[in-house]
Amino acid sequence: MKKIYCNIKKCLGCGSCEIACAVEHSRSKKLDSAISENPLPIKRRKAEFIEEGISVSTGCQHCDNAACVAACMSGAMYKEAKTGLTQHSRDKCVGCWMCIMSCPFGAITREKLEKQVVKCDLCPDRNKPACVEACPTKALSLGTFKEFKQLCNM
Amino acid sequence: MQYVIIGSSAAGISAVEAIRTKDKDSKITVISDEKKPLYSRCLISYLLAGTIDEKKIWYRKDSFFKDNKVDALLGVRVREINAKNKEVILNNKEKVKFDKLLIATGASPKLEDIPGIDKKGVFPLRTIDHTIEVQAMLDRVKSVAVFGGGLIGLRAAYALKIRGKDVSVFVKSESILSQIADKGAAGIMQRRLEEKGIKIFIGVAAKEITGDKSVKGAVLDNGSKYACELVIIGKGVSPNIEIAKDAGIKTNWGILTNDYLETNVKDIFAAGDASETNDIALGESSVNAIWPAACEQGRIAGLNMAGEKEKYQGSLAMNSIEFFGLPVISVGITRPKSSAYEELVKKDTAMNIYKKVVLKDGVIVGVVFVNSIENIGVIGALIRNKADITGIKEIILDDYFDYGKAIPLIKKSKTGFKEQEFKETVMTL
């Protein structure tokens, strides 16, 4: 399964991924207009400085046994058979926040007014997720775990 | 191989899905006393409120049984499990043979043993049929009495208030939500409910339901009377363990199982609201009758029925509710009963924000958050993995606390965080 990995050794916690993510998930998909949209677009990643030498960008891990899927009482959160990704159906979501309660990575965010949640969807309209493309140090990558390990020489 | 599953809610359905990932062809029979299952039990109060479209309550496709090659016996009850002959006997006297059996019989609402409880217009709110019946009589209802201030009672009260009814909730415990939230969190929720017009009476219970055939009111244990046309009983649920017990399966509050969710009788498994499992936070056996636990147990029981050897890590109480835009989520122990526990609390009264974590021996065993709920799952993971939180204790209630902040301690942990996804996120540290 391909997903987004972060190499902590390269991450600066600069937040470029967050901005790219929010813009990609905005209505206009352009930074200058996205910042004045109402409601503001919601990012699905978090980049931060943790302590000296540690910065990280995190988001949905598309877990094998996804706790959010088990907790979802409306069937909105599901595993996509073909790709193994954890996907979310807006048509089915009722905004019960059970997935937020269950996600060990805190990777799910409320869209309060819509009573929906949002999470990483790997940017279905793009070849490469916006955050990966925007990362100035190439800390973020899209691929399998094997590919990520090779990339990190581990 | 012949699989038989008794029950077709969260645990039963998850078991079907899990079995089918390992075994595409063997026969699966699902037996349910409900004629139309596949709906989400947790969503019936949303349906009653009218805040969701009816179609959203069907959390699996109509074709689920067909798609999974399941022989579904619906509207049928199991009368007896004959463990020796490996068969279940239905109330129509038919027999169904099994090689592996899952008991996912769920739980039934506790009804109060008071005069008048059988009158027309008294409901628990457990099934879609209850909801449909309540909806059908709503035009004739002006006032509602809800007995019980837990999840079921308050969800019903909320739904009926949204439907424009005059709603009073009578709570015997010292506060609402006493099973899932501490007094601080419950107080904020109570204020919100009252601001929106739901009346709440603490320390009061029903003594009698009055009326002829139909409900006309209730007599309370403080002697006062309350006129109403509808009574909702929300006094919790008790596990349906009778048929298991009769079959010689070990039970306590719920059906007891080993770590692989198999009962003391070989090839008979149990999952969901009917079963009792090790509670991670309490460190003892408990019934956690909640949707996520039922799904997880159903999945693991299903895998093990299909020949896998997957260990169940234990259950954890957790609940999420929102009333009038104010959400509260709790995980684990929120009302510690001894001084062995430490509590950290942070509140912002103007913003209706309340956060509390409960620790024991330096490990988090419970959390409750009101109105600032993002990242509570991270704390849930710390509870599950019994993480030593030295180094993050000071920031754990801060708004910016999130998974990233826990990465150093996850890297250091030797005993927890075994799942591949945790390892992947800390590999490059």
Side-chain angles (χ1 to χ4, degrees):
Chain A
M1 179 185 55
K2 283 184 183 224
K3 63 183 188 185
I4 297 163
Y5 289 95
C6 173
N7 183 343
I8 296 176
K9 289 198 171 66
K10 287 186 173 178
C11 181
L12 302 174
C14 67
S16 300
C17 53
E18 294 183 347
I19 296 170
C21 179
V23 171
E24 177 62 22
H25 294 95
S26 69
R27 268 175 285 151
S28 63
K29 299 207 176 196
K30 289 190 179 68
L31 176 61
D32 53 355
S33 39
I35 52 173
S36 51
E37 281 178 19
N38 186 19
L40 278 169
I42 300 172
K43 62 180 161 72
R44 294 110 201 270
R45 293 200 74 76
K46 176 103 185 261
E48 58 188 318
F49 166 82
I50 309 296
E51 57 185 63
E52 197 56 46
I54 311 176
S55 290
V56 68
S57 164
T58 51
C60 173
Q61 299 299 314
H62 299 279
C63 306
D64 234 5
N65 289 319
C68 59
V69 174
C72 180
M73 61 192 197
S74 69
M77 208 63 91
Y78 65 99
K79 293 302 282 185
E80 196 171 66
K82 209 169 65 192
T83 59
L85 296 177
T86 305
Q87 298 284 25
H88 174 253
S89 155
R90 291 182 73 86
D91 286 345
K92 290 190 143 192
C93 183
V94 301
C96 69
W97 322 133
M98 300 272 275
C99 52
I100 290 176
M101 172 179 84
S102 310
C103 176
F105 301 98
I108 305 170
T109 309
R110 273 185 296 168
E111 212 175 52
K112 293 179 196 173
L113 296 175
E114 300 280 328
K115 291 277 274 168
Q116 290 273 333
V117 296
V118 296
K119 61 176 272 303
C120 171
D121 54 6
L122 291 188
C123 296
D125 300 342
R126 306 172 66 103
N127 287 329
K128 211 185 222 183
C131 57
V132 174
E133 214 156 85
C135 180
T137 63
K138 297 203 161 37
L140 291 181
S141 61
L142 173 74
T144 62
F145 184 52
K146 205 173 150 200
E147 286 165 344
F148 176 57
K149 278 199 289 191
Q150 280 167 355
L151 212 56
C152 303
N153 298 317
M154 289 178 96
Chain B
M1 183 66 73
Q2 290 230 49
Y3 302 98
V4 173
I5 297 170
I6 310 173
S8 65
S9 190
I13 296 305
S14 297
V16 168
E17 290 171 338
I19 290 169
R20 282 291 177 245
T21 63
K22 298 292 166 193
D23 183 342
K24 301 268 180 246
D25 301 308
S26 292
K27 190 175 175 192
I28 303 178
T29 305
V30 169
I31 305 165
S32 171
D33 63 349
E34 291 193 78
K35 286 207 178 79
K36 206 170 173 204
L38 299 175
Y39 68 87
S40 174
R41 198 170 300 288
C42 308
L43 289 181
I44 60 176
S45 72
Y46 289 67
L47 184 65
L48 182 60
T51 51
I52 59 163
D53 206 330
E54 202 228 298
K55 66 177 197 286
K56 280 197 177 184
I57 198 161
W58 305 101
Y59 85 111
R60 289 292 182 270
K61 281 188 205 160
D62 276 352
S63 58
F64 177 85
F65 291 129
K66 197 167 146 254
D67 296 347
N68 286 287
K69 290 190 270 177
V70 169
D71 189 9
L73 307 177
L74 306 178
V76 183
R77 292 190 79 92
V78 170
R79 201 174 67 181
E80 190 189 331
I81 298 167
N82 188 326
K84 214 175 94 208
N85 295 348
K86 289 194 131 180
E87 61 189 17
V88 299
I89 301 156
L90 309 178
N91 58 355
N92 59 16
K93 291 187 184 152
E94 260 178 60
K95 289 176 181 172
V96 186
K97 286 267 179 203
F98 65 82
D99 295 305
K100 305 274 180 188
L101 173 70
L102 177 66
I103 307 175
T105 42
S108 298
K110 289 182 197 159
L111 282 175
E112 291 189 294
D113 188 17
I114 52 169
I117 195 81
D118 52 352
K119 290 201 194 303
K120 239 175 109 182
V122 181
F123 292 94
L125 212 55
R126 178 73 185 168
T127 65
I128 194 163
D129 288 343
H130 294 148
T131 313
I132 292 166
E133 282 182 68
V134 171
Q135 272 173 332
M137 65 177 285
L138 276 187
D139 285 347
R140 285 176 281 130
V141 173
K142 199 176 143 276
S143 299
V144 185
V146 175
F147 293 99
L151 272 178
I152 302 172
L154 290 186
R155 280 200 166 130
Y158 177 64
L160 291 162
K161 186 71 211 172
I162 287 180
R163 297 294 296 263
K165 306 303 166 192
D166 183 12
V167 180
S168 293
V169 181
F170 303 94
V171 187
K172 193 66 194 169
S173 325
E174 55 177 3
S175 82
I176 61 165
L177 300 173
S178 60
Q179 299 293 316
I180 67 161
D182 69 327
K183 272 191 162 177
I188 297 172
M189 299 312 287
Q190 180 170 344
R191 202 165 63 225
R192 171 61 61 100
L193 291 166
E194 287 174 335
E195 277 165 9
K196 298 291 179 180
I198 294 176
K199 295 180 211 87
I200 296 174
F201 302 90
I202 301 289
V204 188
K207 210 167 89 184
E208 187 186 344
I209 311 294
T210 55
D212 303 320
K213 269 187 188 159
S214 300
V215 173
K216 285 198 178 133
V219 181
L220 308 172
D221 63 357
N222 61 8
S224 61
K225 286 179 185 156
Y226 181 80
C228 59
E229 298 77 36
L230 174 63
V231 170
I232 304 285
I233 308 283
K235 290 281 178 188
V237 295
S238 50
N240 295 326
I241 59 173
E242 292 311 319
I243 52 165
K245 223 169 154 177
D246 293 345
I249 292 165
K250 274 192 190 147
T251 60
N252 183 32
W253 292 105
I255 301 167
L256 299 173
T257 61
N258 63 16
D259 286 349
Y260 301 92
L261 303 182
E262 192 170 12
T263 66
N264 61 308
V265 177
K266 194 174 173 292
D267 296 330
I268 301 183
F269 295 71
D273 289 4
S275 64
E276 182 172 324
T277 52
N278 179 51
D279 183 301
I280 296 168
L282 292 170
E284 59 188 51
S285 183
S286 180
V287 176
N288 279 312
I290 53 168
W291 185 271
C295 289
E296 176 74 351
Q297 290 165 15
R299 183 182 71 81
I300 289 174
L303 289 176
N304 292 337
M305 288 162 77
E308 297 291 302
K309 199 81 186 146
E310 179 121 348
K311 201 170 164 181
Y312 182 55
Q313 302 298 333
S315 59
L316 202 49
M318 48 167 116
N319 285 286
S320 165
I321 25 163
E322 178 173 307
F323 297 126
F324 304 108
L326 189 62
V328 55
I329 296 181
S330 72
V331 182
I333 301 167
T334 56
R335 287 192 185 213
K337 290 192 171 70
S338 85
S339 58
Y341 296 88
E342 183 188 357
E343 297 184 19
L344 308 175
V345 181
K346 189 175 173 181
K347 43 190 160 180
D348 180 340
T349 312
M351 298 296 288
N352 277 328
I353 288 173
Y354 181 87
K355 291 175 145 189
K356 178 166 108 170
V357 297
V358 179
L359 298 113
K360 196 181 180 199
D361 305 326
V363 171
I364 307 178
V365 292
V367 58
V368 55
F369 283 1
V370 180
N371 212 15
S372 173
I373 58 170
E374 268 82 11
N375 290 309
I376 193 164
V378 179
I379 298 184
L382 298 176
I383 298 174
R384 257 176 209 290
N385 291 283
K386 301 186 164 60
D388 176 357
I389 62 154
T390 312
I392 58 163
K393 192 173 163 186
E394 292 69 29
I395 59 166
I396 199 133
L397 292 180
D398 285 343
D399 291 339
Y400 60 80
F401 176 78
D402 59 12
Y403 181 73
K405 299 288 187 293
I407 278 182
L409 76 86
I410 290 170
K411 178 79 177 180
K412 273 183 239 149
S413 172
K414 290 194 173 64
T415 49
F417 306 102
K418 298 283 186 212
E419 287 86 355
Q420 177 66 14
E421 289 82 10
F422 290 120
K423 291 180 187 159
E424 289 174 2
T425 56
V426 302
M427 185 188 78
T428 52
L429 179 63

